[in-house]
Amino acid sequence: MQDFKNIHKKKRRRHGRRKGEEARNAFKAVLETPPPRKNRLKIVLPVLALALASYPLFGLLNSARTAKTTTAPHTTSSPAAVLTKADNWSSFKLAAEVFPSAKQEANEFAAPLPQGGKIVYAINERLQSRVAKVMQDFKVPYAALVAIEPKTGKILAVVSHSTAQPAWEKDACYRLYPMASLFKIVTASAALEDKKVTADTPFAFNGRLTSESPKHWRSTGRRSPQMPLAQAMGKSVNPVFGRLAGDIVGRDALISCAQKYGFNQEIYPGCPVIPSTAPPPDSLDQLMLTGAGLNHDVKVSPLHAASLMAAVANGGVMMAPSLAQQVVDAKGGTLFKQQPFELRRVVTPQTASELARMLSTTTVTGTSRKAFHDRRGRPMLASLKVAAKTGSIDGTDPAGHYSWFTAYAPMEDPQIAIAALVINEAKWKIKAPFLGEQALEAFFK
């Protein structure tokens, strides 16, 4: 593990100075140089014609560069310009722009295009409607949910709602929020990838399960309690994953694993999704807090969180998420048709299998048990095995308590992966596990 004692900030040095006399002489030389007396029109006119002919290409390239901004997820580029390059990412961008006008018609969920034609989505209308109704019925201050088909990357639902700030809804699923304990999945992945632990490895720890103080986690004695990592994942035990990051994984391996999952980089080029962040910790305490999911600067979007869980469900392979299933022009011609393609492998199949064992305890004996069982303790989805992870943390943008729930099901043959976020204010409405359970129920029943 990297030693943090020698880490310090380095100031940048300025290189070179402009010499005033040389600059003045150069400028004088330019002024004194007589203009050429040849017929300039023979040169200027062809160049001007070439520039005019290339203008649409320059416009498309500029649109692509504009789409990479991390401060304004949606752009105002013309849909027609996007269609000139109808790949998965440009189609995603266009589909996101016209999504507010989408609705169910006959057997398809689609939105018309301003220049004619339409976008056809893979949205599961029953799932989409059920989640939207739950959000509205409970008048949640802020809530967002994304559902993805793990094997294909098709987006099955993208819903957001806010009674506190309706304008927040527009880009809610693509913006960043503190990831909280969802990051424990990354911590566990890093340890499993190095074959340093398994789901059954017992881990000693000090402090309460929800402790947020690393100074209480470090020392362990004979009387320190032990807990298998699978059980610690389900119960989201902070001291266990803090010490796992600090004592076993290390800073470099943890950040490397986060990058494999897509943090600190743009993995959806040209799309309205802001890249997730996982800054390298600068001390041992910060490393332990990061590993436990308590670093507020580790942020993720609901779409990326759903993609992350879908990758675990898909044996460690993250598929490119696709919002548009098909793009049709005004004449009925197909401009784009979704084809599944592998975005990246994030972990090995063995690691994904071990993670599944760990995540399976969350809805059975862990932090979301109540949401998946009735008052008599009977499972709400009796025949469905669910792998899941919860997260809980306070945030400021928007202000409130952040409740996360990610899951995939069924475990033996994953058909759906979801990420739900609910942000409550002083008075609580619902938590994310409840919203997730409602989504799974709508999809499978």
Side-chain angles (χ1 to χ4, degrees), residues 289-339:
L289 288 171
T290 298
L294 297 172
N295 185 342
H296 286 72
D297 292 329
V298 176
K299 298 181 179 181
V300 71
S301 65
L303 186 137
H304 189 191
S307 291
L308 186 151
M309 185 59 83
V312 177
N314 196 37
V317 176
M318 181 180 288
M319 304 299 290
S322 179
L323 186 57
Q325 180 169 285
Q326 189 176 16
V327 181
V328 180
D329 63 20
K331 297 181 180 180
T334 300
L335 297 174
F336 169 78
K337 189 172 183 180
Q338 194 265 351
Q339 294 291 335

Side-chain angles (χ1 to χ4, degrees), residues 3 41 56 85 112 117 137 140 158-159 163 171 174 206 234 247 269 271 275 316-317 346 348 350 380 384 393 442:
D3 186 359
L41 292 180
K85 185 181 179 183
D137 288 350
V140 292
V158 52
V159 195
T163 56
D171 303 313
Y174 309 133
N206 279 348
D247 298 347
C271 293
V317 176
V346 296
T348 64
Q350 294 77 15
M380 304 287 285
L384 196 66
I393 199 169

